[in-house]
Amino acid sequence: MSTALPRAGRIHVREPDTAPMVAFRTVDGGGRLFVMGPRTRASYLAPKDVPHCVTVRLRPETARPLLGAPMSELVDQIIPLRDLWGVRADRLADELAGLVTGGDWAERVMARLEAAFLDRLAAQSPADLDRAGLVGAAAALLSVGAERPPVTEVARELGVSERHLRNLFTGGVGVPPKRFARINRVRGVLARVCREGAASLAADAGYYDQSHMTAEFREVMGVPPNAYRAGRLPVPGTCSVG
């Protein structure tokens, strides 16, 4: 969900991520469930004391059938799960709050969440699951290596039209295929930027040159790679979950 940079004190970086998350937190003695939609840009947060928190990162092919809404409507948003699931979300949150006892509470919460998600997916129609599988296959192809295939090639390999793939992918993942690949490319740089030089990073990630990587990194992360590496980050805001 977030990382902390030693040079930046206690600023937490919520990384850009094409995968939505479901977060459970204890609040005022009870439990709440939130959906964090796909994040197209990084956010920088001040620390927040949360007694208990569990997050689940959803796979591209499960997000839409699991949550019951197009991911394109949830981009860069954080909403209560009840907005999508109704009272079932509140009942599940209360049940999870009752599991928060003892040292292994997180494992029990994760197991109950997994069971609830599997029940939800089992209730989907075969047609919905087929479409979800196509989204997952496209996401996998668009995530392979630095030289990611063009969308036309991915559509051809999956046996669908490019237009159909774009529409299905955007609804299932939240962003179009090209933006999906761009965000994941920056995430790949982000994982290595604090220990490797910019020139080698740019070449390995498939950028035209170092300036291309720097511009794309700045667009998504809000600062260039050198500033990020040095811990010169934007002024942190506050987390809106909870």
Side-chain angles (χ1 to χ4, degrees), residues 57 120 136 172-173 179 207 221:
R57 187 172 184 263
R120 179 87 174 184
V173 175
R179 195 169 191 187
Y207 289 99
M221 298 302 299

Side-chain angles (χ1 to χ4, degrees), residues 5-237:
L5 297 178
R7 295 184 183 179
R10 296 190 66 199
I11 293 177
H12 290 270
V13 182
R14 184 175 288 160
E15 300 176 359
D17 196 348
T18 53
M21 294 183 180
V22 174
F24 165 75
R25 287 189 173 183
T26 55
V27 180
D28 299 328
R32 293 184 186 176
L33 284 161
F34 299 88
V35 175
M36 304 168 62
R39 303 185 298 281
T40 60
R41 287 179 172 80
S43 55
Y44 299 86
L45 307 172
K48 185 176 183 179
D49 184 22
V50 179
H52 305 93
C53 179
V54 169
T55 59
V56 179
R57 187 172 184 263
L58 304 181
R59 294 173 59 88
E61 63 269 30
T62 64
R64 180 168 184 171
L66 179 62
L67 297 177
M71 292 302 98
S72 52
E73 296 179 0
L74 303 179
V75 173
D76 294 322
Q77 294 190 56
I78 300 177
I79 65 170
L81 182 60
R82 78 169 72 90
D83 288 358
L84 303 176
W85 282 17
V87 296
R88 288 173 294 180
D90 292 330
R91 288 198 295 265
L92 178 59
D94 289 341
E95 184 179 346
L96 295 175
L99 299 176
V100 182
T101 57
D104 60 347
W105 66 268
E107 289 79 6
R108 284 183 278 118
V109 167
M110 287 290 291
R112 181 64 188 94
L113 276 173
E114 181 180 9
F117 293 166
L118 289 175
D119 287 345
R120 179 87 174 184
L121 290 174
Q124 305 303 308
S125 70
D128 286 339
L129 294 178
D130 285 345
R131 286 189 287 269
L134 185 63
V135 170
L141 291 171
L142 290 165
S143 302
V144 176
E147 297 298 327
R148 295 171 177 84
V151 179
T152 51
E153 184 178 321
V154 172
R156 188 181 308 113
E157 182 164 343
L158 296 177
V160 296
S161 70
E162 182 178 349
R163 180 178 180 182
H164 178 67
L165 179 62
R166 289 181 189 277
N167 291 339
L168 196 63
F169 193 92
T170 302
V173 175
V175 294
K178 284 186 177 179
R179 195 169 191 187
F180 171 88
R182 185 182 305 123
I183 292 170
N184 283 341
R185 183 161 57 177
V186 170
R187 283 175 57 83
V189 172
L190 189 61
R192 300 163 57 189
V193 70
C194 290
R195 64 177 186 272
E196 297 183 31
S200 62
L201 274 176
D204 291 347
Y207 289 99
Y208 299 128
D209 52 30
Q210 187 174 327
S211 63
H212 180 206
M213 181 193 73
T214 297
E216 196 163 277
F217 190 95
R218 184 199 297 268
E219 177 189 353
V220 174
M221 298 302 299
V223 292
N226 286 343
Y228 184 89
R229 185 184 297 112
R232 298 194 301 272
L233 307 180
V235 175

